[in-house]
Amino acid sequence: MTLSTELDPEDRKIITLARSARARNGVAEGAAVRDETGRTYVAGTVELDSLKLSALRTAVAMAVASGAKSLEAAAVVTEAETASAEDRAAVRDLGGPGTPVLVARPSGELRASVTAG
């Protein structure tokens, strides 16, 4: 297991942003993605009667809506053990199968690093 403090500074940054979004909005998950230019997009879980999106899918949608062409990395802060297949698919659609998806605990500690696959 790798602590988030041992990560590349840019990867640590997206975990910190995801953690902040989760705490600030009081939602189940926070996520952040970094595009091919280094821009970041941050989101929390969306829970409306008519629309339910995970934080990671919301962050990917924000990147796409802002003109991102690819992703370098993604992070999600969650109680879950790993990123869901649907979340990894959204990252894969924009970033490709090798895009790293960092899964961190609410404390910011890295739980797993998987690829979008």
Side-chain angles (χ1 to χ4, degrees), residues 10-108:
E10 292 300 313
D11 289 345
R12 188 171 46 248
K13 175 183 171 183
I14 61 173
I15 289 174
T16 300
L17 290 169
R19 187 173 179 225
S20 296
R22 181 180 183 272
R24 179 179 53 252
N25 297 324
V27 292
E29 296 179 339
V33 298
R34 185 175 61 246
D35 75 9
E36 75 284 359
T37 68
R39 289 181 298 178
T40 56
Y41 307 88
V42 182
T45 309
V46 174
E47 293 270 348
L48 300 173
D49 289 340
S50 62
L51 179 65
K52 299 198 184 312
L53 291 172
S54 71
L56 194 48
R57 282 180 269 169
T58 304
V60 170
M62 291 173 66
V64 170
S66 296
K69 303 294 183 214
S70 184
L71 294 179
E72 290 181 348
V76 61
V77 173
T78 180
E79 295 284 353
E81 293 294 318
T82 192
S84 71
E86 295 87 358
D87 283 352
R88 291 191 324 274
V91 172
R92 183 176 59 244
D93 286 349
L94 187 56
T99 307
V101 179
L102 308 170
V103 181
R105 290 179 168 87
S107 66

